[in-house]
Amino acid sequence: MTTYDFTEIDDAIEQGKAEFIEMLQKLLRQKSISHTGEGMEECAEAVRLLLQQEGFHTTVYRPGAYPIVYGEITALEQTADTPTVLLYGHYDVMPPDPLNEWVSDPFEPEIRDGKIYARGAGDNKGQFLAHILAVRNYVKLHGGLPINLKILIEGEEETGSPSLADFVADHRELLKADLVYTSDGPKHASGAPVVLLGVRGALSVRLTSKGAAWDNHSGNKGNIVPNPVWPLISLLHGIRSGDGTVQVEGFYDGIPEVSEADAEALRRLPFDLDDLKRQVGHDGIDLDGETYYRRLSLEPTFNVFGLHAGGRDKGIIPAVAEAYLDVRLVSGQDPLDMYAKLERHVKKHAPGIGIERIMSVPPSKTPIDLPIIRTVIETVTEACALEPVVQPAMGGTLPDYVWTSVLGAPSVIVPYAPYDEANHSPNENTGIADFLEGIRCTYHLIRRLADSGDGE
């Protein structure tokens, strides 16, 4: 295995550190709240100018509510094996509410104890800026890039990326790549780097049970007017057996066997049961590490995340009762197919209850044993001087399927933010050391892929 010298890039990062931090602070001052639209156009233009000044050929696309900023740089020398990498990030951020819980202004970055606090610091401006600065330093040190590099930074991630799938489908040739590389989310709680090879899909559903045309007094009309809560509870009770098995016909169809490579990755993941109990606030959990990670990443879930009927301290028979469900899906399952199965179950067991699909995102998974994935894992190990936590899939949901299913490329997520980045929460932050390490890691990815010959 080639031994890599990091002296050049470490010296360049040290020399440019003050400028890099100021660049991030400037980007963080620019509001870009996709839920309200505040500052979105201005931030998209700021990102375009940033890419342009770093040598990217840029184009702005408008497939939805907010622009997609695209850039590319071609390798100095092209061969049949020259890899192409697509970097993905997003410039939109969540609203900063509740403002009274922020120690400092969410859009006026403040450095405290080695961290930069501001909305978007970790999610996702600090992470995609690390990619851009890695490119700057590679070109500065070597005169150009040894790989073809593309970057797509969108403005709708925090609202579910509603335009991304169609955009990728319409621009497959433009976006064609040997690898899609995303830096988003936090590192492991131990401080170790993380390599994620997939995400669970999601299906959100609303069930509606109706009784009378309006709420009625529970004393005056009790035993007379039907209460819609009872048939809803009966339906929910029948969906899961006592051991937690979901009774919807076909719920577990399509789930592949856990490969030996995935099983080995699960066994290697760090696990602390006592710490898990503290994290979730429940002492009754009794799992080993392999079971925990298998359930979290490779098994579907059925969850009731909301119930509503009537109100507190009201002696009424409610007219309407609603339940909100979310199903997390794994590779091999399709959210629209799952919705059809759930719809059949409801019509069979409670035909009077309405069902409506709220949102769905397919799952995504990249095989762990691909040569280019092995290269990424080795890259992260060498750049961070620490073996990463490699997880076959994360428990949550991102639009990763647009890369694996629509674009047809392997996809990997390597977070550059600290585990306590507080994304979506007050006092969001990124560590300065984490930000600079992200530059180092992306820089090393470029040269590692060039040396590996993992292109077409």
Side-chain angles (χ1 to χ4, degrees):
M1 180 185 294
T2 304
T3 300
Y4 291 90
D5 184 357
F6 286 86
T7 303
E8 281 188 332
I9 183 59
D10 286 346
D11 288 347
I13 290 173
E14 182 60 31
Q15 292 168 14
K17 179 169 66 174
E19 181 187 1
F20 303 158
I21 292 171
E22 176 52 38
M23 289 175 68
L24 176 55
Q25 290 176 311
K26 180 179 179 181
L27 192 58
L28 294 172
R29 290 187 187 101
Q30 174 57 62
K31 295 182 180 180
S32 50
I33 306 171
S34 53
H35 283 81
T36 65
E38 187 175 5
M40 291 296 294
E41 291 291 336
E42 294 85 348
C43 193
E45 177 61 10
V47 171
R48 186 194 70 80
L49 289 172
L50 178 61
L51 290 175
Q52 187 177 67
Q53 75 182 25
E54 300 303 338
F56 287 87
H57 298 284
T58 62
T59 308
V60 175
Y61 296 91
R62 297 180 178 275
Y66 305 118
I68 285 175
V69 184
Y70 173 78
E72 60 181 40
I73 297 178
T74 303
L76 279 175
E77 297 181 7
Q78 292 283 353
T79 71
D81 294 328
T82 300
T84 298
V85 175
L86 172 62
L87 302 171
Y88 166 72
H90 63 94
Y91 62 87
D92 63 322
V93 303
M94 290 293 285
D97 305 320
L99 287 171
N100 64 334
E101 294 186 18
W102 284 81
V103 173
S104 54
D105 187 328
F107 294 105
E108 184 51 53
E110 184 171 293
I111 296 176
R112 302 192 301 270
D113 300 321
K115 292 185 174 184
I116 301 175
Y117 288 84
R119 177 57 90 222
D123 186 20
N124 177 250
K125 293 177 179 177
Q127 303 211 45
F128 77 69
L129 182 59
H131 295 320
I132 297 169
L133 291 172
V135 172
R136 169 196 276 202
N137 283 281
Y138 203 102
V139 172
K140 181 179 178 181
L141 291 171
H142 304 284
L145 295 182
I147 66 172
N148 299 314
L149 195 63
K150 303 175 181 181
I151 188 166
L152 185 152
I153 305 176
E154 66 152 321
E156 297 180 346
E157 197 271 350
E158 300 294 9
T159 55
S161 299
S163 306
L164 187 60
D166 287 345
F167 176 80
V168 172
D170 292 341
H171 296 83
R172 285 192 181 93
E173 193 59 35
L174 173 74
L175 301 172
K176 185 178 179 182
D178 298 298
L179 175 72
V180 179
Y181 188 89
T182 300
S183 293
D184 202 350
K187 297 178 181 178
H188 192 264
S190 67
V194 175
V195 175
L196 298 165
L197 298 172
V199 301
R200 285 197 292 198
L203 168 67
S204 295
V205 171
R206 175 168 48 236
L207 300 177
T208 304
S209 178
K210 295 183 178 180
W214 50 76
D215 294 347
N216 281 272
H217 192 283
S218 63
N220 295 340
K221 297 299 184 289
N223 294 335
I224 305 300
V225 174
N227 190 321
V229 173
W230 296 119
L232 183 61
I233 290 176
S234 178
L235 173 65
L236 293 174
H237 183 71
I239 286 178
R240 292 176 83 247
S241 64
D243 65 358
T245 303
V246 178
Q247 301 300 301
V248 175
E249 185 176 353
F251 183 82
Y252 298 99
D253 290 353
I255 301 173
E257 291 290 326
V258 178
S259 69
E260 181 52 41
D262 283 345
E264 175 60 25
L266 294 178
R267 287 190 287 269
R268 292 169 60 88
L269 290 171
F271 179 73
D272 184 327
L273 181 58
D274 290 334
D275 184 57
L276 173 64
K277 292 176 180 179
R278 286 191 294 270
Q279 286 181 30
V280 302
H282 187 10
D283 290 334
I285 297 174
D286 186 17
L287 297 171
D288 59 56
E290 183 177 353
T291 303
Y292 168 75
Y293 284 109
R294 187 186 71 248
R295 290 184 181 180
L296 187 67
S297 58
L298 299 178
E299 293 182 4
T301 71
F302 189 98
N303 177 53
V304 179
F305 70 89
L307 286 169
H308 178 75
R312 298 181 62 181
D313 304 321
K314 290 185 177 181
I316 64 167
I317 303 169
V320 178
E322 295 179 320
Y324 292 84
L325 316 176
D326 84 88
V327 180
R328 299 289 171 152
L329 307 166
V330 298
S331 176
Q333 296 184 303
D334 176 74
L336 298 183
D337 175 64
M338 183 61 73
Y339 177 74
K341 291 172 180 174
L342 188 57
E343 189 177 38
R344 287 194 294 269
H345 183 94
V346 172
K347 287 183 177 179
K348 178 179 178 180
H349 296 280
I353 291 179
I355 180 170
E356 176 188 359
R357 181 171 63 93
I358 300 172
M359 178 275 291
S360 59
V361 179
S364 174
K365 191 170 185 298
T366 292
I368 195 171
D369 50 2
L370 293 180
I372 200 165
I373 297 303
R374 289 199 300 270
T375 298
V376 170
I377 294 170
E378 291 167 358
T379 295
V380 175
T381 302
E382 293 160 353
C384 300
L386 191 63
E387 187 173 351
V389 172
V390 181
Q391 195 167 320
M394 65 186 291
T397 302
L398 295 172
D400 194 56
Y401 77 97
V402 300
W403 313 125
T404 56
S405 298
V406 181
L407 188 61
S411 174
V412 64
I413 302 167
V414 181
Y416 289 167
Y419 79 95
D420 57 352
E421 65 168 326
N423 54 333
H424 294 199
S425 300
N427 304 306
E428 180 181 344
N429 67 87
T430 194
I432 291 175
D434 299 283
F435 170 56
L436 299 177
E437 184 180 76
I439 300 172
R440 189 182 206 249
C441 193
T442 303
Y443 172 94
H444 188 42
L445 177 73
I446 293 170
R447 63 177 176 179
R448 198 72 165 70
L449 287 174
D451 291 345
S452 70
D454 286 329
E456 293 183 344

